[in-house]
Amino acid sequence: MHSAPMNEEIEIKDNYSFLRYTSKCILDHSFCGRINEKNFSPNMMLFTESIHFNNCLNKKISIDERGKIKNCPSMTNDFGQHGNVSLIKVINDKNFSALWGITKDQVEICQVCEFRYICIDCRAYRSTESITSKPLKCAYNPYLAQWETLN
């Protein structure tokens, strides 16, 4: 939840999820996908999820500013209009959940990166059209073990 009065993370114990609040004002979905070492989250839950699932899209559902239901607000594909389509129906749609299974071991560059299981990448912003291509907004070069400046 952006533009919140506090920066806080609340654990939802029944389903092992978290609700994160940030005071940062996020104006639109273009803020998504920025990979930065300050955003790394080295914890066992993320690590184990990252081995088996896409740690950004797994179990995520979003509604963009026009009310379109998507995996992520930055994705182009939508699954209907909020209010006209049941969210449960969307979640159970195999096309919707297919992206959940793209692991870092399948993503170009990420598959050799030492940070792959603690880094959350974006499948909406990619260096090519391939769903497994390098994250467009990642400035880390694992071959040189250094951060570079993004264009």
Side-chain angles (χ1 to χ4, degrees):
M1 303 293 288
H2 71 87
S3 304
M6 74 295 208
N7 293 308
E8 186 177 351
E9 182 172 276
I10 299 172
E11 182 177 358
I12 302 170
K13 294 182 189 277
D14 291 344
N15 64 359
Y16 307 103
S17 297
F18 293 87
L19 182 56
R20 291 188 178 119
Y21 292 90
T22 179
S23 58
K24 180 186 270 186
C25 180
I26 298 173
L27 301 174
D28 60 33
H29 60 82
S30 67
F31 284 74
C32 186
R34 296 177 187 192
I35 297 173
N36 184 314
E37 61 190 314
K38 293 176 187 167
N39 295 332
F40 286 173
S41 183
N43 64 68
M44 189 57 75
M45 184 179 281
L46 179 68
F47 180 86
T48 54
E49 180 181 27
S50 298
I51 292 171
H52 302 287
F53 300 99
N54 181 279
N55 59 23
C56 181
L57 297 175
N58 186 39
K59 298 182 183 181
K60 179 194 273 183
I61 190 166
S62 70
I63 301 169
D64 74 7
E65 67 275 5
R66 293 180 309 280
K68 298 291 185 180
I69 303 167
K70 300 179 174 187
N71 291 98
C72 162
S74 294
M75 294 283 194
T76 55
N77 190 28
D78 73 77
F79 294 84
Q81 185 75 29
H82 176 55
N84 296 337
V85 178
S86 160
L87 295 180
I88 298 298
K89 182 179 178 182
V90 171
I91 290 170
N92 289 324
D93 183 324
K94 291 192 186 305
N95 292 319
F96 181 81
S97 60
L99 297 176
W100 295 359
I102 299 169
T103 68
K104 292 290 185 70
D105 292 324
Q106 298 169 312
V107 175
E108 296 166 20
I109 303 295
C110 296
Q111 58 196 208
V112 299
C113 182
E114 67 271 31
F115 300 121
R116 70 183 171 273
Y117 300 130
I118 61 168
C119 171
I120 298 176
D121 83 285
C122 182
R123 296 292 80 216
Y125 297 103
R126 303 178 306 271
S127 56
T128 71
E129 289 295 315
S130 171
I131 197 65
T132 59
S133 70
K134 180 185 183 212
L136 182 64
K137 298 180 182 183
C138 178
Y140 185 69
N141 182 333
Y143 298 109
L144 300 176
Q146 60 185 268
W147 291 89
E148 300 169 345
T149 304
L150 285 176
N151 294 335

